[in-house]
Amino acid sequence: MKVGIVGIGFVGSTAAYTLVLRGLVNDLVLVDLNAKAARAHAEDILHATPFARAVRVVAGDYSLLEDADMVILCCGVGQRPGETRLQLLERNAAVFSEVVGQVLRYTKEPILLVASNPVDIMTHVTVKLSGLPPERVIGSGTILDTARFRALLGEHLGISPSSIHAYVLGEHGDSEVLVWSSVKVGGIPIADLARQRELHLTEEVVAGISDGVRHAAYRIIEGKGATYFGIGAGLAHIVQAIRDDERRILTVSGLTGAVAEFKGTCLSLPRLVGAGGILDEFRPDLSVAEDKELRKSAALLRKLFDELHLEGLRRSSTVP
């Protein structure tokens, strides 16, 4: 499988390293405005291949993406002092117009995996700019938030997170929804299992886990400047699901079509992911309060997208 990554900062380089160590690609291409840094990352990662498996790792311009099966977009600009979120979004949309145009110049209907934040809006922007079938544009969405939720539940219960079914839906951001009502461990509702293990889910415990999920990024960024290990692993997880046609249910972001109340909005729902990208999407079973929160999250994302000015950016002139 040939995969390209555009934007080789903390997230892009960590995703690249993870893909190589897990042996998920045969051919990896790194593209960045800072060509010197991209070449350095490619060389450094190449030197790890004898400890994993043989992978061709190169860095250069967009032409090296020719025939790539998938391209991961980790590019974008940072927020300027005094800049509004909408202004930042519009500048990132302009960046994506150029990037997506260049990617599509050298690839034929690739799967585009969006990691740049705010990921739900940038996924929607990518759908519009690329003209690709919506199922071939996937945002990393709340895959990391879901992993955080499962990890913290696992710590509290003393059980492997792989045995825990729990999901975070909606925006990858402040309005995300932790779906406590459907959490199960080995098919057992979490409240029942916690009671059996005498590890009751008190209001204090629930609040602590919820805070741990919602504010993890803020604490990590305060401590070391950026988050990248978790999302790097999450991106590799998505690549594997597609490469091996695993048909996993993942909380990725995409342009909703089948779930009527969220149609036309990019947000995270339980989605079936396999060789063709997003193969299906599902309406989650929610409590009344969770349903209300998810609708609010969707409305916020739709409002932000509708306020963007994309008319002049659609189908960049670099797209054939």
Side-chain angles (χ1 to χ4, degrees):
M1 185 179 197
K2 182 175 181 178
V3 173
I5 302 179
V6 180
I8 315 300
F10 285 121
V11 173
S13 60
T14 304
Y17 183 54
T18 307
L19 289 171
V20 168
L21 286 191
R22 290 180 58 179
L24 295 176
V25 296
N26 304 106
D27 201 342
L28 183 63
V29 178
L30 309 183
V31 179
D32 195 278
L33 280 175
N34 186 339
K36 185 177 180 180
R39 287 195 299 271
H41 279 300
E43 185 176 0
D44 198 12
I45 292 170
L46 180 67
H47 297 164
T49 59
F51 305 110
R53 57 166 288 181
V55 178
R56 179 175 178 264
V57 186
V58 298
D61 61 25
Y62 288 95
S63 65
L64 294 178
L65 295 174
E66 187 172 7
D67 298 325
D69 301 290
M70 182 185 307
V71 178
I72 305 173
L73 304 179
C74 303
C75 46
V77 294
Q79 195 162 10
R80 294 168 175 166
E83 186 174 41
T84 67
R85 189 181 188 192
L86 184 59
Q87 288 170 331
L88 174 62
L89 279 170
E90 289 180 342
R91 287 202 299 126
N92 266 324
V95 170
F96 265 58
S97 178
E98 176 64 22
V99 168
V100 170
Q102 291 284 5
V103 169
L104 295 183
R105 177 184 287 274
Y106 297 103
T107 59
K108 183 180 180 181
E109 287 217 341
I111 290 176
L112 299 181
L113 177 53
V114 181
S116 304
N117 281 318
V119 70
D120 302 288
I121 303 298
M122 298 316 300
T123 300
H124 204 158
V125 167
T126 303
V127 171
K128 295 298 183 183
L129 292 175
S130 68
L132 290 170
E135 63 270 18
R136 300 188 73 81
V137 179
I138 306 172
S140 56
T142 57
I143 192 167
L144 177 55
D145 309 273
T146 290
R148 289 167 174 161
F149 193 17
R150 293 176 178 178
L152 293 181
L153 287 170
E155 283 194 347
H156 176 70
L157 297 171
I159 292 174
S160 168
S162 65
S163 296
I164 299 172
H165 289 275
Y167 301 95
V168 179
L169 305 176
E171 177 195 18
H172 171 56
D174 294 339
S175 73
E176 65 188 24
V177 181
L178 281 69
V179 186
W180 282 94
S181 65
S182 64
V183 178
K184 290 189 176 181
V185 184
I188 304 167
I190 189 171
D192 293 345
L193 187 134
R195 189 162 48 248
Q196 291 179 46
R197 288 186 60 79
E198 298 183 352
L199 295 167
H200 299 285
L201 288 172
T202 63
E203 289 185 6
E204 183 179 4
V205 169
V206 169
I209 291 173
S210 296
D211 178 76
V213 174
R214 291 184 186 280
H215 299 114
Y218 297 110
R219 287 189 294 272
I220 293 168
I221 290 169
E222 182 181 2
K224 67 172 192 173
T227 66
Y228 40 91
F229 291 135
I231 189 58
L235 292 169
H237 194 62
I238 297 169
V239 171
Q240 182 173 350
I242 293 167
R243 187 198 70 167
D244 297 341
D245 194 23
E246 290 183 332
R247 295 175 172 258
R248 284 181 178 268
I249 300 291
L250 301 175
T251 57
V252 293
S253 189
L255 186 63
T256 308
V259 183
E261 55 266 60
F262 306 123
K263 189 172 183 177
T265 303
C266 281
L267 77 167
S268 285
L269 293 171
R271 288 189 161 91
L272 184 66
V273 179
I278 295 173
L279 308 178
D280 209 344
E281 59 194 20
F282 305 101
R283 178 66 167 86
D285 185 18
L286 304 170
S287 69
V288 172
E290 290 164 352
D291 184 78
K292 184 177 180 181
E293 289 175 15
L294 187 57
R295 289 174 185 268
K296 284 173 63 178
S297 184
L300 170 67
L301 290 169
R302 185 70 206 188
K303 181 176 183 293
L304 275 171
F305 180 78
D306 287 345
E307 289 174 348
L308 282 173
H309 301 292
L310 297 179
E311 290 77 10
L313 300 178
R314 288 178 183 167
R315 301 297 288 173
S316 165
S317 60
T318 55
V319 181

